[in-house]
Amino acid sequence: MSVNIRQKVLQSFKTLHKTRLNVFNGDALALSEARKKINEEYKKNKHVTDQTAIEELIKYSNAVEQELKMCVIQAKEVEPGVYQATITKDTAKLDNMPFDEFASVTQSRRKTHSKCQQNEK
């Protein structure tokens, strides 16, 4: 393995662990389990020598890091039935769309009706 690839692997390993510390801050169990999983995955792929395969694994590591940063949030129950979520600057925030059950049922019926008319022809 070239020195450059080795540095990239070590950097992705360190970055994942830093992300783990930020995402699961204050949750000892999650920190421990995430640490075990990261170490396990890197040990499992330790034997890989093909440079292309290593590059793909590094890309996968980067994707996992982004997923952790953007999609994982912590929530604590502050009182029965009431939770407080920890949202970071990296957390993906989506626009809320109100759900109108009647409108979706009506639209579905229209599609079904138009398909039935096409089949009759």
Side-chain angles (χ1 to χ4, degrees):
M1 180 181 335
S2 73
V3 174
N4 189 27
I5 283 288
R6 182 173 171 77
Q7 287 176 341
K8 286 181 180 180
V9 170
L10 290 174
Q11 184 61 44
S12 70
F13 181 78
K14 289 178 182 180
T15 302
L16 264 179
H17 277 290
K18 286 178 184 177
T19 301
R20 168 189 69 92
L21 292 172
N22 289 332
V23 170
F24 301 116
N25 186 19
D27 186 344
L29 179 61
L31 283 168
S32 174
E33 291 301 315
R35 181 178 185 270
K36 285 179 193 175
K37 185 64 175 173
I38 292 167
N39 291 343
E40 176 186 310
E41 290 298 317
Y42 275 81
K43 284 178 186 173
K44 182 172 77 176
N45 293 301
K46 186 177 182 178
H47 70 282
V48 177
T49 57
D50 179 43
Q51 190 163 347
T52 306
I54 293 171
E55 290 287 344
E56 287 299 315
L57 289 168
I58 291 170
K59 285 181 186 177
Y60 181 71
S61 172
N62 293 337
V64 168
E65 178 208 355
Q66 288 303 312
E67 189 76 16
L68 284 171
K69 281 182 176 180
M70 295 175 64
C71 299
V72 176
I73 60 170
Q74 287 181 291
K76 293 181 186 176
E77 188 172 25
V78 290
E79 49 187 78
V82 177
Y83 294 85
Q84 179 181 6
T86 304
I87 309 236
T88 66
K89 63 179 177 58
D90 296 318
T91 304
K93 298 163 195 83
L94 305 174
D95 292 332
N96 286 336
M97 295 290 293
F99 179 71
D100 185 356
E101 186 176 345
F102 180 74
S104 63
V105 169
T106 305
Q107 186 177 15
S108 175
R109 286 184 182 157
R110 284 183 192 149
K111 287 180 183 177
T112 305
H113 181 68
S114 66
K115 285 181 184 177
C116 289
Q117 285 180 339
Q118 289 175 357
N119 289 338
E120 289 175 0
K121 291 180 181 179

